[in-house]
Amino acid sequence: MSNKLTIGMFGFGVVGQGLYDIIKTKNLNLEIKKFVIKNADKKRSLPAELFSTDAEAILDDPEINTVVELIDDAEAAYRLTVRALKSGKNVVSANKKMIAGHLEELVDIQHEYGTSLLYEGAVCGSIPIIRNLEEYYDNELLHSVSGIFNGSSNYILSKVFNENQLYADALKKAQELGFAETDPTLDVGGYDPKFKVCIVASHAYGIYVKPDDVFNIGIDKLGQQDIRFAKEKNFKIKLIPTAKEIDGNKVVLYVLPRLVGKESILYNVENENNGVLVKAAFADEQFFYGKGAGGHPTGSAVLSDIAALRYGYRYEYKKHLESSALNYSQDYLIKVYLRYTDDQLIEKLNFSEITERYYAADFKYVIGHINLQQIAAHKADLDREGNFIAEIA
Amino acid sequence: MSNKLTIGMFGFGVVGQGLYDIIKTKNLNLEIKKFVIKNADKKRSLPAELFSTDAEAILDDPEINTVVELIDDAEAAYRLTVRALKSGKNVVSANKKMIAGHLEELVDIQHEYGTSLLYEGAVCGSIPIIRNLEEYYDNELLHSVSGIFNGSSNYILSKVFNENQLYADALKKAQELGFAETDPTLDVGGYDPKFKVCIVASHAYGIYVKPDDVFNIGIDKLGQQDIRFAKEKNFKIKLIPTAKEIDGNKVVLYVLPRLVGKESILYNVENENNGVLVKAAFADEQFFYGKGAGGHPTGSAVLSDIAALRYGYRYEYKKHLESSALNYSQDYLIKVYLRYTDDQLIEKLNFSEITERYYAADFKYVIGHINLQQIAAHKADLDREGNFIAEIA
């Protein structure tokens, strides 16, 4: 009934170690035959013959039918994944940047070579959102999929909002805890959630969108004035990627901070937790919550993918097969709060409507409606110190 | 790739109508050939030749390969389901009482006859908890599965706690809105969530437990003193079914009101919404939230099951195949709040430890630890007007 898996694993960090620990304790009809690692000198907790620094030790071994790819380098991961899939090996990966950047090609390769690439661990750690989009919402018209997809920036925002910590201190703490990278731009700049929302959009709407074509801005320019403003209005600020169907034939994708009120289920998602909000025509509002990062939560998603491969599981990309052609678009009016310093920025941005305007010596903001295309066209300006933009739901 | 489904549907109420509406708009490779209904005289929105009052019009039709069972009567549903499964038809049902009461037999029949019975709609409406337990947590050690599984009683509790409505008024309103049955005991007495937690336990732990063997008590004896007590301590009261592994070899199941604090994710589940909290060794805490009742949310679960049948999907009941034998138990110490009138009840209940005791003219309570077996043995006493018991987490 289940196929025996012989696994080669690239990377043996926190996730790899956790995975090995749990696989050991279970009777899963699988064996990890080889780990390929970068640093041969690091002391390992397992017998030396299990390790190699040569990728061919996995890729060239015909006994290995399953590759688990858990390395940081997205380009190296991409090359390994393509080679493995083309040589008849199934692949489990948690590399969101690699998947998002090459998804269309990776799907084509799966179809051509009859192999399976699973990547639940790449999107919101332990939360089984890809599997649910594939299997459970495959016939649902989805109004939107959004949420909190990045544990590091959410951790920082929680500390800032609930414990009055300074942004810089909270970031440092997140780095110490291993939630944020040494270069935190991927997280706090909104790139990581952008990769994830591109992957989500493919399973939710059957479209391939390159991350480079999607607007993202993060929380790294968040200032004390913004926090004060949000608190006065009983908002929290969250970093929210959104995939949303509009006009029945288009899908918009973007990543923006958002002012979130108590009535939103995202309001209570704190610290390194993630939450995915699915609004569906028929199922109504659905919410998935769990740990978004960390060795064990991500490991659990990887393990579920490995276990599913024993039964020949593959994503069907069903929404791509539907006739209704949805197109990616940035032509979408959103309501924003914008703190700014230079009045010329407001001229440039070409708001459709400004409903509030505030001036003080140290704090100027507008609230108004603006087309996402305008925002995307002026990303460099908006991303400058002294400016902060957030969506108002 | 997908099999054409020819469907016979028992029942044509809110869910059936909603299903028909959505199926019409989609190209799902399926056809509803016949509805069997009880009342031939009711005016229908569809052509008369689609309807019959004779169950054989579905069960005897060899062209119909899929039965969708959406009737209220659990015993009639059971007979139809067994006949359909034995005659080679797959079945989708949303009848929690029927499934919970006959699960082991229904699993045996599926194995013997090679047919598939799916019932996502039976547990927490739109929330795909069964599918996730089956497919995603199939290799996870689950510490517990609990949550808010009954929309009617949660709606009542929300009105009582947030809008200071009287219990009786909130119940009446729930009935008017169609959330609660005319005889509301199934909901507010905790029977409905008990059926659901029995089904959940089978997929989470690989055990069959008869609903009659599981303790349940509801919220129908909730009094103003309990509400005051809870509010003073910043608790809300929620009706919570629990399935929990203890001592590595036992599973306890019970349904009790619970005093829930702000730190719990269940605290914010309001009105007719449901939430399922999965605590897993590896994936950590996971939470699924959505509409627990209503034609469309339940219909969406039923539709997902129907769609999955096109691909030959069946529950594997994987946890039942594992060697680790878990046994059902009621030998479990829990901490409770108990409002009572008759002092003799406290004697009888044989608390392991009483940590607080309060007396006033109109209000007496104890807080202490007590074995679930004791609680279960005195259900009749606890269920008497003047008493109210709730777990303290």
Side-chain angles (χ1 to χ4, degrees):
Chain A
M1 193 167 67
S2 90
N3 310 312
K4 163 133 200 228
L5 302 188
T6 304
I7 295 175
M9 197 181 291
F10 289 96
F12 190 66
V14 182
V15 177
Q17 175 73 61
L19 255 179
Y20 187 84
D21 291 345
I22 198 159
I23 283 172
K24 246 184 359 199
T25 66
K26 299 202 154 258
N27 183 13
L28 289 178
N29 198 18
L30 57 85
E31 171 209 359
I32 304 184
K33 191 178 174 189
K34 191 65 78 183
F35 294 93
V36 166
I37 38 106
K38 216 158 61 180
N39 185 346
D41 301 329
K42 212 186 267 182
K43 219 175 139 41
R44 307 286 173 180
S45 53
L46 301 175
E49 65 268 24
L50 279 173
F51 293 91
S52 169
T53 54
D54 180 10
E56 305 305 319
I58 287 175
L59 295 172
D60 261 0
D61 184 339
E63 262 189 39
I64 289 177
N65 54 18
T66 307
V67 168
V68 177
E69 178 283 298
L70 297 169
I71 62 178
D72 273 345
D73 178 341
E75 278 315 301
Y78 166 68
R79 288 190 301 270
L80 296 170
T81 297
V82 168
R83 269 205 51 198
L85 290 172
K86 287 189 173 178
S87 65
K89 301 183 198 305
N90 297 320
V91 178
V92 175
S93 169
N95 196 314
K96 57 224 72 166
K97 188 178 179 188
M98 185 270 282
I99 307 286
H102 301 280
L103 188 53
E104 184 164 10
E105 184 192 348
L106 290 167
V107 173
D108 289 344
I109 293 173
Q110 289 179 74
H111 286 148
E112 191 179 346
Y113 290 86
T115 41
S116 174
L117 169 66
L118 304 180
Y119 42 79
E120 190 64 75
V123 184
C124 299
S126 60
I127 300 174
I129 184 62
I130 301 300
R131 203 75 80 83
N132 277 284
L133 289 172
E134 268 289 299
E135 298 304 314
Y136 194 74
Y137 299 108
D138 52 341
N139 292 295
E140 265 273 24
L141 170 66
L142 301 178
H143 296 314
S144 65
V145 185
S146 63
I148 290 167
F149 287 20
N150 181 263
S152 325
S153 44
N154 201 56
Y155 175 88
I156 293 167
L157 291 168
S158 286
K159 294 295 158 191
V160 163
F161 268 83
N162 306 339
E163 301 174 24
N164 295 315
Q165 290 189 15
L166 292 175
Y167 177 86
D169 295 342
L171 169 59
K172 190 151 166 280
K173 183 78 183 161
Q175 287 172 321
E176 282 166 18
L177 287 168
F179 297 149
E181 306 293 325
T182 317
D183 171 9
T185 314
L186 275 183
D187 295 317
V188 297
Y191 292 90
D192 170 274
K194 178 165 80 166
F195 300 144
K196 293 167 178 167
V197 81
C198 286
I199 299 171
V200 158
S202 188
H203 293 274
Y205 294 111
I207 53 167
Y208 297 115
V209 185
K210 290 275 184 199
D212 285 349
D213 296 332
V214 175
F215 175 77
N216 65 293
I217 201 161
I219 57 161
D220 45 331
K221 303 303 182 304
L222 180 70
Q224 287 304 315
Q225 305 103 312
D226 309 312
I227 296 166
R228 215 166 52 225
F229 173 86
K231 285 193 170 175
E232 281 172 12
K233 316 267 189 213
N234 291 313
F235 286 123
K236 288 180 187 168
I237 295 174
K238 299 287 188 186
L239 181 58
I240 313 270
T242 298
K244 190 182 173 78
E245 199 201 2
I246 56 168
D247 306 336
N249 58 4
K250 284 177 287 196
V251 176
V252 290
L253 304 183
Y254 57 94
V255 180
L256 266 172
R258 192 187 292 175
L259 293 160
V260 172
K262 277 200 170 68
E263 74 294 344
S264 167
I265 199 162
L266 299 175
Y267 186 88
N268 291 306
V269 177
E270 297 290 7
N271 299 316
E272 73 275 26
N273 292 299
N274 283 12
V276 184
L277 185 59
V278 177
K279 294 193 179 172
F282 208 34
D284 211 300
E285 194 173 294
Q286 303 257 297
F287 182 63
F288 300 81
Y289 172 95
K291 287 270 188 302
H296 276 191
T298 303
S300 76
V302 172
L303 179 65
S304 275
D305 281 349
I306 294 172
L309 283 177
R310 294 177 307 155
Y311 299 92
Y313 182 69
R314 63 183 59 238
Y315 301 142
E316 301 276 349
Y317 300 91
K318 290 177 194 139
K319 299 263 181 172
H320 285 275
L321 307 172
E322 284 176 18
S323 50
S324 70
L326 292 169
N327 292 305
Y328 173 60
S329 169
Q330 288 195 314
D331 184 8
Y332 179 55
L333 207 63
I334 58 178
K335 187 178 176 188
V336 298
Y337 155 91
L338 171 65
R339 173 173 58 83
Y340 64 98
T341 37
D342 182 354
D343 287 323
Q344 289 189 337
L345 178 61
I346 306 302
E347 300 301 313
K348 271 206 246 179
L349 278 171
N350 202 5
F351 273 81
S352 303
E353 190 195 2
I354 288 181
T355 53
E356 285 183 49
R357 195 146 190 175
Y358 176 85
Y359 300 88
D362 65 337
F363 182 25
K364 296 190 281 188
Y365 73 79
V366 294
I367 291 176
H369 290 87
I370 182 171
N371 196 296
L372 180 59
Q373 289 171 329
Q374 287 294 326
I375 299 178
H378 297 93
K379 176 170 158 69
D381 290 317
L382 291 166
D383 223 354
R384 211 157 278 155
E385 201 63 54
N387 301 327
F388 180 76
I389 187 166
E391 188 174 6
I392 302 182
Chain B
M1 192 167 65
S2 89
N3 310 312
K4 164 134 200 226
L5 303 188
T6 304
I7 296 175
M9 197 179 293
F10 290 96
F12 190 66
V14 182
V15 177
Q17 174 73 61
L19 255 179
Y20 187 84
D21 291 344
I22 197 159
I23 284 173
K24 244 183 0 195
T25 66
K26 298 199 155 264
N27 183 13
L28 289 178
N29 197 18
L30 57 84
E31 170 208 0
I32 304 183
K33 190 177 174 190
K34 191 65 78 180
F35 294 93
V36 166
I37 39 103
K38 217 158 61 178
N39 186 346
D41 302 329
K42 211 186 269 183
K43 217 171 143 45
R44 306 288 172 179
S45 52
L46 302 175
E49 65 267 24
L50 279 172
F51 294 91
S52 169
T53 55
D54 180 10
E56 304 306 319
I58 287 175
L59 294 171
D60 262 1
D61 183 340
E63 261 189 39
I64 289 178
N65 54 19
T66 307
V67 168
V68 177
E69 177 284 296
L70 297 169
I71 62 178
D72 273 344
D73 179 341
E75 279 314 302
Y78 166 69
R79 289 190 301 272
L80 296 171
T81 298
V82 169
R83 270 205 50 200
L85 289 172
K86 287 188 174 178
S87 64
K89 301 184 199 303
N90 297 320
V91 178
V92 175
S93 169
N95 197 313
K96 57 224 72 167
K97 189 178 179 187
M98 184 271 279
I99 307 286
H102 301 280
L103 188 53
E104 184 164 10
E105 185 192 347
L106 291 168
V107 173
D108 289 345
I109 293 173
Q110 288 179 75
H111 286 148
E112 191 179 345
Y113 291 86
T115 41
S116 174
L117 169 65
L118 304 180
Y119 40 80
E120 189 65 75
V123 184
C124 300
S126 61
I127 300 175
I129 184 61
I130 301 299
R131 202 76 77 84
N132 277 283
L133 289 171
E134 269 288 300
E135 298 304 314
Y136 194 74
Y137 299 110
D138 52 342
N139 291 295
E140 264 272 26
L141 169 66
L142 300 179
H143 296 315
S144 64
V145 185
S146 63
I148 290 166
F149 286 21
N150 182 262
S152 325
S153 43
N154 201 56
Y155 174 87
I156 293 167
L157 291 169
S158 286
K159 294 294 157 190
V160 164
F161 268 82
N162 307 339
E163 300 175 21
N164 296 314
Q165 290 189 16
L166 291 175
Y167 176 86
D169 294 342
L171 169 59
K172 192 153 165 278
K173 183 78 184 162
Q175 288 172 321
E176 283 167 16
L177 288 170
F179 298 148
E181 306 292 324
T182 317
D183 171 9
T185 315
L186 276 183
D187 295 316
V188 297
Y191 292 90
D192 169 273
K194 179 165 80 165
F195 300 143
K196 292 169 178 166
V197 82
C198 287
I199 299 171
V200 158
S202 188
H203 293 274
Y205 295 112
I207 53 168
Y208 297 115
V209 184
K210 290 274 185 197
D212 285 348
D213 297 332
V214 175
F215 175 77
N216 66 293
I217 200 161
I219 56 161
D220 44 331
K221 303 304 182 306
L222 180 70
Q224 286 304 315
Q225 306 102 313
D226 309 312
I227 295 166
R228 216 167 50 225
F229 172 86
K231 285 192 170 175
E232 281 172 12
K233 317 266 189 215
N234 291 314
F235 286 123
K236 288 179 187 169
I237 294 175
K238 298 287 186 186
L239 181 58
I240 313 271
T242 298
K244 190 182 172 81
E245 199 201 3
I246 57 169
D247 306 336
N249 58 3
K250 284 176 289 196
V251 176
V252 290
L253 303 183
Y254 58 94
V255 179
L256 266 172
R258 191 186 293 174
L259 294 160
V260 172
K262 280 200 169 66
E263 73 295 344
S264 167
I265 198 161
L266 300 174
Y267 186 89
N268 291 306
V269 177
E270 297 290 7
N271 300 315
E272 73 274 26
N273 292 299
N274 282 13
V276 184
L277 185 60
V278 177
K279 293 190 180 174
F282 209 34
D284 210 302
E285 195 172 293
Q286 302 255 298
F287 182 63
F288 301 80
Y289 172 94
K291 286 272 187 302
H296 276 192
T298 303
S300 76
V302 172
L303 179 65
S304 276
D305 282 349
I306 293 172
L309 284 177
R310 294 177 306 156
Y311 298 91
Y313 182 70
R314 62 184 58 237
Y315 300 142
E316 300 277 350
Y317 300 93
K318 289 176 195 140
K319 299 263 182 172
H320 285 274
L321 307 173
E322 284 177 19
S323 49
S324 69
L326 292 169
N327 292 307
Y328 174 60
S329 169
Q330 288 195 315
D331 184 8
Y332 179 56
L333 209 62
I334 58 178
K335 187 176 177 189
V336 298
Y337 154 92
L338 171 64
R339 173 172 58 84
Y340 64 100
T341 38
D342 182 355
D343 289 324
Q344 288 189 337
L345 177 61
I346 306 301
E347 300 300 315
K348 270 205 247 179
L349 278 172
N350 202 6
F351 273 80
S352 303
E353 190 195 3
I354 287 180
T355 52
E356 287 183 47
R357 198 148 186 170
Y358 175 84
Y359 300 87
D362 65 337
F363 182 23
K364 295 189 282 189
Y365 73 79
V366 295
I367 290 175
H369 290 88
I370 183 170
N371 196 296
L372 180 59
Q373 290 171 329
Q374 287 294 326
I375 300 178
H378 297 94
K379 174 170 159 71
D381 291 317
L382 291 166
D383 224 354
R384 212 157 276 153
E385 202 60 56
N387 301 327
F388 180 77
I389 188 166
E391 188 175 5
I392 302 183

